[in-house]
């Protein structure tokens, strides 16, 4: 598997320092709150699992599996493949995902959670690819910026594979041009 990787984009060491920084920041920002972390499947793992270990707060977690789709005005259209078990009404929510690209998924999720009565919704992503943005949305917590390259690993997939790489890597073109 690792022979398919052209270069390492975000190393394991860099990921560790991102986890510490974001964990400390969230712990500080939510000092007097009890946030609900909502991970978007499947890309949120292992980022979510590792990030939780750096957060020193009483908190809860749940998972949501959604696919966004483009309508005329693409935003807010979301198909729920697996719903939450938690009632989000009145909750301070932090949505966790691997990457913010076009922004369609997170925009749709924010509208869904607000429509269900969430008190606040913030977004935490490991990676931000600003060049891909279509929807008007930014994350509140960002691990690292990535250029417009095909990145995989640490949750991110290509055809469902490579999620288990311990770092973020750029795929060799020959792998996806086959
Ligand atoms: C990926 C990723 C984000 C979304 C980002 O999920 O995990 O949720 O796409 O893209 P966007 O900003 O353009 O909406 P995907 O739907 O591929 O599912 P996965 O998490 O199972 O990989």
């Amino acid at each position: 598997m690792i022979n398919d990787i052209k270069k390492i984009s975000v190393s394991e060491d860099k990921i560790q320092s991102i986890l510490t920084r974001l964990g400390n920041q969230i712990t500080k920002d939510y000092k007097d709150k009890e946030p609900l972390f909502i991970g978007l499947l499947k890309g949120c793992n292992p980022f979510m699992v590792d990030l939780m270990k750096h957060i020193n707060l009483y908190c809860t977690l749940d998972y949501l599996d959604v696919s966004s789709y483009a309508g005329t005005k693409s935003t807010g259209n979301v198909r729920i493949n697996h719903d939450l078990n938690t009632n989000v009404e009145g909750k301070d929510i932090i949505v966790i995902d691997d990457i913010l690209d076009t922004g369609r998924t997170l925009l749709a999720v924010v509208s869904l959670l607000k429509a269900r009565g969430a008190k606040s919704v913030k977004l935490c992503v490991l990676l931000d690819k600003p060049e891909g943005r279509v929807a008007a949305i930014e994350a509140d917590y960002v691990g690292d910026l990535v250029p417009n390259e095909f990145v995989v690993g640490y949750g991110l997939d290509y055809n469902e594979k490579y999620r288990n790489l311990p770092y973020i890597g750029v795929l060799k073109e020959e792998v996806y041009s086959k």
Side-chain angles (χ1 to χ4, degrees), residues 33-101:
K33 296 186 175 132
E34 203 168 295
L36 164 64
F37 289 90
I38 296 182
L40 302 190
L41 294 170
K42 313 182 195 78
C44 68
N45 286 318
F47 176 49
M48 174 139 160
V49 173
D50 289 346
L51 180 64
M52 301 292 292
K53 299 176 202 165
H54 293 264
I55 292 170
N56 180 16
L57 293 170
Y58 294 110
C59 58
T60 54
L61 62 92
D62 204 345
Y63 293 95
L64 183 63
D65 185 358
V66 294
S67 313
S68 72
Y69 58 93
T72 3
K73 282 205 174 152
S74 81
T75 56
N77 298 324
V78 62
R79 184 177 63 235
I80 300 171
N81 305 317
H82 177 84
D83 209 338
L84 299 164
N85 288 316
T86 314
N87 177 359
V88 301
E89 211 175 328
K91 298 266 170 64
D92 290 305
I93 294 169
I94 303 173
V95 178
I96 310 280
D97 208 358
D98 52 355
I99 188 163
L100 174 57
D101 187 359

Side-chain angles (χ1 to χ4, degrees), residues 111-124:
S111 356
L112 177 76
L113 296 172
K114 287 194 172 156
R116 288 182 177 182
K119 184 176 169 196
S120 68
V121 182
K122 288 202 174 181
L123 307 175
C124 174

